Amino acid sequence: MEVEEQPPQEADGEPVLTSGASGSVPRVLSGEPQNLSDVDAFNLLLEMKLKRRREQPNLPRTVTQLVAEDGSRVYVVGTAHFSDDSKRDVVKTIREVQPDVVVVELCQYRVSMLKMDERTLLREAREVSLEKLQQAVRQNGLMSGLMQMLLLKVSAHITEQLGMAPGGEFREAFKEASKVPFCKFHLGDRPIPVTFKRAIAALSFWQKVKLAWGLCFLSDPISKDDVERCKQKDLLEQMMAEMIGEFPDLHRTIVAERDVYLTHALRQAARRLELPRASEAEPRKCVPSVVVGVVGMGHVPGIEKNWSTDLNIQEIMTIPPPSISGRVSRLALKAAFFGLLGYGLYWMGRRTVSLVLSLPATQYCLQRASEARPRQ
């Protein structure tokens, strides 16, 4: 299995149905030694995969099926990011359809969650430290870094309430994809820095203050039943939607634009696959691919809506220049930060000096120095 950020390129040639491909695949008779070429080995594994692939798969109700123009099939699993049921839905779907590509709602900046164990992720999600804040600011800029940390606080709040690390469905997808022959693994989400920078640019100074205030004082209790009831709209995104509902531009950048990007990633993954040839003289054969997409339930309606439309990816990848209010807010934040830092150092310095001067040893030394000084 491969982890790829770029979707596979479209192969040339006429497509053939996967369900009919197994009849032309050479078979190996048991008990007889065989020297298999690379092509024969590929075809044998492909035959085994097609046998396991269900023609009429028994899919969970959270799965939406989409069909590309060339006949490729895409099974989009709508998940709640903190749900055990969602993890089971992902495993069942991948085992039933034996996909050629699995696409998940992650980007390269969040790929580490695929390789961490549950305990480490749980600890990381709960610990929102100054070091993480500094890293986010260095990576995304001041305002975008602060926004990222506030959103991490929302995720950490849910983690603390449920005792469950986020992204379990993506880790299950990664593990199951590794068990499927010739299955590739794609990161299908827009890079986080682009999303945050576009989100920040869409807000006025006071909107940024108001949003930050709402995120800072998030404390409502959440139960596992709440998560499962939110299956039709992912819990994390629902909480965000409630807080950003009065900011249509912010909803557009965080949700609607990512719907477009995820749709583009799924369509690129659902390209025809070229079968290997025994020689250059053999004609090329291509088969429609089978793709499983694992995304938050809140993105499924947008993906369905955008599936058959023309998509402008360049537009949603462009970072607009900072506005005047953005420059002013950054200067104000920097001035406030350095002002507080300076005041803190001054206050600590005064307290330290007072403490040192109050020590008996210091008093004794000062008294001796005063006595030793020659009198006029």
Side-chain angles (χ1 to χ4, degrees), residues 142-144 146 200-201 203-209 322-337:
L142 180 61
M143 292 301 299
S144 298
L146 290 173
I200 291 297
L203 296 177
S204 68
F205 174 74
W206 293 112
Q207 285 176 325
K208 294 170 187 173
V209 171
S323 62
I324 295 177
S325 65
R327 296 191 191 101
V328 171
S329 63
R330 279 199 299 275
L331 288 173
L333 280 172
K334 287 180 180 178
F337 174 77

Side-chain angles (χ1 to χ4, degrees), residues 237 244 250-260 298-299:
E237 291 173 6
I244 67 178
L250 189 59
H251 184 274
R252 170 177 53 80
T253 55
I254 291 182
V255 180
E257 289 183 359
R258 289 173 59 226
D259 290 346
V260 172
H299 291 292

Side-chain angles (χ1 to χ4, degrees), residues 342-354:
Y343 177 76
L345 292 174
Y346 169 74
W347 182 83
M348 288 178 64
R350 284 192 60 184
R351 290 295 302 271
T352 302
V353 170
S354 299

Side-chain angles (χ1 to χ4, degrees), residues 105-355:
E105 185 197 330
L106 288 177
C107 69
Q108 65 267 32
Y109 294 91
R110 293 182 290 162
V111 72
S112 59
M113 73 163 54
L114 295 176
K115 301 174 183 178
M116 291 184 185
D117 61 84
E118 195 82 7
R119 183 177 300 176
T120 303
L121 278 165
L122 196 58
R123 186 180 66 251
E124 287 287 319
R126 286 170 170 167
E127 295 174 357
V128 181
S129 62
L130 180 61
E131 183 181 350
K132 287 184 180 179
L133 174 60
Q134 292 173 336
Q135 182 180 356
V137 170
R138 283 197 304 268
Q139 196 174 75
N140 305 317
L142 180 61
M143 292 301 299
S144 298
L146 290 173
M147 176 66 73
Q148 180 177 346
M149 290 309 296
L150 288 173
L151 291 177
L152 281 176
K153 183 179 182 297
V154 176
S155 179
H157 170 65
I158 300 175
T159 299
E160 188 67 30
Q161 294 283 318
L162 300 182
M164 182 187 301
E169 73 274 32
F170 302 138
R171 290 189 292 281
E172 290 297 330
F174 184 71
K175 287 189 289 186
E176 285 301 316
S178 68
K179 302 173 185 177
V180 178
F182 314 116
C183 183
K184 295 183 178 180
F185 194 87
H186 288 180
L187 307 175
D189 202 2
R190 183 172 65 178
I192 274 184
V194 176
T195 297
F196 283 134
K197 287 176 182 177
R198 285 184 61 83
I200 291 297
L203 296 177
S204 68
F205 174 74
W206 293 112
Q207 285 176 325
K208 294 170 187 173
V209 171
K210 191 172 183 179
L211 178 64
W213 182 267
L215 290 171
C216 283
F217 292 94
L218 177 70
S219 60
D220 293 336
I222 302 164
S223 69
K224 291 188 178 182
D225 290 339
D226 292 331
V227 177
E228 299 308 327
R229 282 197 296 270
C230 290
K231 267 296 193 69
Q232 296 306 311
K233 192 171 181 64
D234 177 65
L235 179 62
L236 181 57
E237 291 173 6
Q238 177 171 314
M239 294 177 68
M240 286 304 304
E242 291 173 355
M243 286 183 285
I244 67 178
E246 58 188 290
F247 309 135
D249 289 335
L250 189 59
H251 184 274
R252 170 177 53 80
T253 55
I254 291 182
V255 180
E257 289 183 359
R258 289 173 59 226
D259 290 346
V260 172
Y261 195 93
L262 288 165
T263 305
H264 172 73
L266 289 168
R267 278 172 26 177
Q268 291 296 306
R271 298 290 186 90
R272 291 174 296 175
L273 302 177
E274 182 179 353
L275 298 177
R277 295 177 292 168
S279 67
E280 291 295 327
E282 185 178 337
R284 291 182 175 180
K285 292 183 180 180
C286 296
V287 295
S289 59
V290 174
V291 177
V292 169
V294 183
V295 304
M297 182 61 75
H299 291 292
V300 176
I303 293 172
E304 286 188 277
K305 176 184 175 182
N306 294 316
W307 185 250
S308 301
T309 62
D310 293 331
L311 305 176
N312 188 345
I313 297 301
Q314 292 302 321
E315 180 182 351
I316 64 171
M317 290 297 290
T318 303
I319 300 173
S323 62
I324 295 177
S325 65
R327 296 191 191 101
V328 171
S329 63
R330 279 199 299 275
L331 288 173
L333 280 172
K334 287 180 180 178
F337 174 77
F338 287 113
L340 289 172
L341 180 62
Y343 177 76
L345 292 174
Y346 169 74
W347 182 83
M348 288 178 64
R350 284 192 60 184
R351 290 295 302 271
T352 302
V353 170
S354 299
L355 181 62

Side-chain angles (χ1 to χ4, degrees), residues 59-63 77-93 162 164 168-170 172 224-232 234 294-295 297:
L59 300 174
R61 59 181 180 81
T62 53
V63 176
V77 188
T79 68
H81 293 319
F82 291 84
S83 168
D84 287 329
D85 283 352
S86 287
K87 291 191 281 188
R88 288 189 284 268
D89 289 350
V90 168
V91 171
K92 181 177 178 60
T93 302
L162 300 182
M164 182 187 301
E169 73 274 32
F170 302 138
E172 290 297 330
K224 291 188 178 182
D225 290 339
D226 292 331
V227 177
E228 299 308 327
R229 282 197 296 270
C230 290
K231 267 296 193 69
Q232 296 306 311
D234 177 65
V294 183
V295 304
M297 182 61 75

